[in-house]
């Protein structure tokens, strides 16, 4: 059983990544000309690990192409990898294998170029547990949504070849309004800004600290948000994250926000009763006297759920289409994080145990039921039924986003309870399919779409090799034969051996000592 401190640290973390504060409807502001992004997509520099890379030849594979129409590029393909780059692909008969190359016969296997890319993660904790779980599950790159020094340390170790892990794109610390939904009980830094001047200072500060992009959050005022957007353009930084409570989502899209996380804002922006929704949102308050993030997020939940239910009841198809067309025209990406919505809103389907749980410390997984009990405390039977209806409506919105051409990127908010790093993205893909996306588009959402967003090199030596065709059943992405990550080929035997190593490290992990900041190991 977790201690009170462990549960509070865990609960503070789970709510932060999982819950996006709501935004009002699109028509709340006049249509303006979208801001043309002035920041080019800069590829993440490729830095080969400091170890020799013999040429690798993967032969007789069925090569898939998620970037186009997911039709096979043809069976019996060869893929050549040299010095951390894919140097050539083609039919086996047309690609000579260099002398001395290490060759792997992939007859009957299906290869996903680039591997999977997770667009929304939160991680801190045992170095021998968290980073390896991603590539061992085919996730070769991640976007860290609450950056801290440990993520930069991990990235350098991965680049140096001393740590097995994904490519990391790392946000700033969360920048939120005052008072923030966060309290000082997590051991992880966030920045509160009260006005435009402090917002601009925060952007300059996080740029100097090495952030790849700025993370915006729920309680920012419109004035502070717009200052962040303008200063990011001046500083050559992108910004992404939550749509603030008091900012229309269309306004965030027009301003150039790279991606909008979660589905709260989208749901609230599709109601026909805009004025009522806006008035209700204006009344949402965070009491600074609440000393824990757990209490603050619990309060936010209780205030927003009734507003969400009203939005579901007053859903407006025409309004929705106009808003989603606007997002598509602006190129605003949406990261639905259905995984965390499912766990918070379909609590009747939470697993009591799972084979995946053995890859996390027991003190973490044991804390989840208590955390969830706290987050859902006070729900009546009517509340529960309504929240389940809200979840079903979120699935509908994802389907509408896809049909409108809004770019979707798979992200799970891994780090929250019941989401295990690496494993959870496969669950997210299944939920995207349940929302109505064709398999080819689910695969795009977990491969080429987030890779473009993150500026990953097209020739990076990352691959996922599957035993079965994911075009026929998205669950086949779980049937992993082997993985190529940054030019290192992990065949079936090595992958399974390394997973066993992670399980042993997780079993040996001890909870944080009383009085010490608790690491947010898979509890964001």
């Amino acid at each position: 059983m977790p201690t009170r401190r462990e549960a509070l640290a865990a609960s503070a973390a789970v709510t932060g990544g999982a819950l996006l504060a709501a935004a009002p409807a699109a028509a709340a502001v006049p249509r303006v000309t979208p801001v043309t992004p002035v920041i080019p997509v800069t590829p993440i520099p490729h830095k080969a690990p400091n170890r020799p890379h013999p040429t690798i030849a993967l032969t007789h594979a069925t090569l898939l192409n998620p970037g186009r129409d997911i039709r096979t590029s043809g069976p019996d393909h060869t893929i050549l990898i040299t010095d951390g780059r894919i140097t050539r692909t083609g039919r086996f008969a047309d690609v000579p294998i260099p002398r001395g190359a290490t060759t792997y016969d992939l007859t009957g296997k299906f290869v996903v170029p680039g591997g999977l890319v997770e667009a929304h993660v939160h991680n801190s904790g045992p170095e021998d547990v968290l980073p390896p779980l991603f590539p061992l599950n085919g996730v070769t790159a991640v976007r860290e949504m609450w950056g801290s020094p440990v993520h930069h340390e991990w990235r350098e170790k991965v680049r140096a070849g001393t740590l097995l892990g994904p490519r990391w794109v790392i946000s700033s610390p969360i920048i939120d309004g005052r008072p923030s939904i966060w309290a000082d009980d997590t051991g992880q830094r966030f920045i509160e800004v009260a006005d435009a001047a402090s917002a601009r200072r925060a952007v300059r500060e996080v740029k100097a600290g090495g952030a790849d992009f700025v993370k915006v959050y729920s309680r920012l005022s419109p004035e502070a948000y717009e200052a962040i957007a303008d200063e990011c353009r001046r500083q050559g930084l992108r910004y992404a994250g939550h749509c603030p409570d008091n900012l229309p989502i269309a306004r965030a899209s027009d301003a150039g926000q790279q991606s909008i996380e979660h589905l709260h804002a989208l749901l609230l922006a599709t109601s026909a009763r805009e004025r009522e929704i806006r008035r209700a949102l204006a009344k949402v308050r965070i009491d600074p006297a609440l000393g824990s993030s757990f209490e603050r997020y619990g309060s936010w939940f209780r205030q927003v759920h009734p507003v969400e239910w009203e939005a579901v009841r007053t859903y407006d198809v025409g309004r929705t289409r106009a808003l989603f067309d606007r997002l598509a025209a602006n190129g605003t990406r949406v990261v639905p994080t259905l995984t965390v919505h499912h766990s918070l809103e379909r609590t009747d389907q939470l697993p009591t145990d799972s084979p995946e749980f053995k890859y996390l410390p027991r003190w973490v997984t044991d804390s989840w039921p208590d955390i969830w009990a706290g987050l859902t405390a006070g729900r009546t039977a009517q509340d529960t039924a309504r929240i389940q209806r809200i979840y079903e409506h979120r699935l509908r919105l994802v389907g509408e986003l896809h049909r409108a051409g809004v770019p979707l990127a798979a992200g799970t908010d891994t780090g929250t309870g019941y989401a295990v790093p690496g494993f959870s993205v496969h669950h997210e893909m299944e939920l995207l399919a349940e929302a109505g996306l064709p398999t080819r588009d689910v695969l795009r959402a977990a491969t080429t779409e987030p890779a473009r967003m993150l500026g990953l090199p097209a020739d990076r030596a990352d691959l996922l090799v599957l035993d079965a065709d994911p075009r026929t059943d998205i669950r086949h992405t779980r049937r992993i034969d082997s993985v190529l990550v940054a030019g290192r080929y992990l065949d079936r035997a090595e992958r399974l051996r390394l997973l066993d190593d992670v399980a042993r490290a997780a079993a040996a992990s001890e909870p944080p000592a009383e009085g010490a900041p608790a690491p947010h190991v898979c509890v964001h």
Side-chain angles (χ1 to χ4, degrees), residues 5-10 13 124 185-188 363 511-513 515-521 523:
R5 174 175 178 77
E6 291 162 10
L8 280 175
S124 61
D185 59 354
T186 69
Q188 195 158 345
W363 65 269
H520 306 319
V521 186
V523 285

Side-chain angles (χ1 to χ4, degrees), residues 117-119 121 134 139-144 166-170 454:
V117 180
E118 240 271 43
V121 304
F134 289 106
V139 180
T140 60
V142 300
R143 185 174 62 152
E144 189 72 44
R167 300 171 192 268
W168 246 286
V169 178
I170 304 168
L454 303 185

Side-chain angles (χ1 to χ4, degrees), residues 184-427:
D184 292 320
D185 59 354
T186 69
Q188 195 158 345
R189 182 173 180 251
F190 62 94
I191 302 172
E192 289 183 325
V193 297
D195 51 29
S198 58
R200 290 182 184 276
R201 285 195 299 272
V203 172
R204 294 192 292 269
E205 176 188 346
V206 300
K207 180 182 180 181
D212 297 323
F213 65 99
V214 169
K215 171 72 176 289
V216 293
Y217 217 66
S218 305
R219 300 302 295 173
L220 287 167
S221 68
E223 177 192 20
Y225 176 91
E226 289 169 359
I228 289 171
D230 183 65
E231 193 64 29
C232 281
R233 286 190 289 272
R234 291 170 181 266
Q235 298 295 328
L237 282 177
R238 294 185 178 275
Y239 64 101
H242 295 193
C243 185
D245 285 357
N246 292 316
L247 190 82
I249 195 169
R251 193 161 162 182
S253 174
D254 288 344
Q257 183 163 327
Q258 185 183 43
S259 68
I260 294 171
E261 313 300 304
H262 318 294
L263 295 169
H264 296 278
L266 287 157
L267 186 151
L268 290 163
T270 58
S271 169
R273 302 186 67 178
E274 172 198 345
R275 292 182 180 179
E276 291 87 342
I277 293 290
R278 287 182 63 81
R279 282 198 294 266
L281 288 171
K283 294 178 182 178
V284 173
R285 292 287 186 271
I286 299 299
D287 184 353
L290 296 176
S292 76
S293 301
F294 180 74
E295 293 170 307
R296 292 187 182 194
Y297 252 115
S299 170
W300 186 89
F301 258 142
R302 288 188 293 274
Q303 295 177 76
V304 170
H305 273 148
V307 186
E308 290 194 312
W309 174 243
E310 181 63 19
V312 170
R313 289 182 58 252
T314 59
Y315 176 67
D316 187 304
V317 173
R319 186 180 188 81
T320 299
R321 288 175 180 169
L323 173 61
F324 289 3
D325 286 346
R326 193 165 174 177
L327 298 180
N330 289 345
T332 305
R333 295 169 173 87
V334 172
V335 184
T337 64
L338 285 170
T339 296
V340 74
H341 283 298
H342 184 271
S343 65
L344 288 167
E345 295 159 6
R346 291 307 311 258
T347 53
D348 57 313
Q349 297 179 6
L350 287 174
T352 57
D353 196 10
S354 166
E356 300 169 6
F357 291 179
K358 70 179 180 181
Y359 297 107
L360 292 177
R362 183 68 180 266
W363 65 269
V364 170
T365 57
D366 282 352
S367 73
W368 291 344
D370 286 345
I371 294 166
W372 252 243
L375 289 172
T376 60
R379 287 183 184 176
T380 65
Q382 182 184 58
D383 292 335
T384 298
R386 287 178 173 179
I387 289 168
Q388 290 180 1
R389 288 271 305 277
I390 289 170
Y391 174 75
E392 296 301 321
H393 192 70
R394 297 198 204 282
L395 289 178
R396 175 180 179 177
L397 289 179
V398 171
E400 293 292 336
L401 284 163
H402 171 257
R403 286 186 286 276
V406 177
L408 299 177
T412 68
D413 221 342
T414 188
T416 61
Y418 300 97
V420 180
F423 291 92
S424 61
V425 74
H426 299 275
H427 181 49

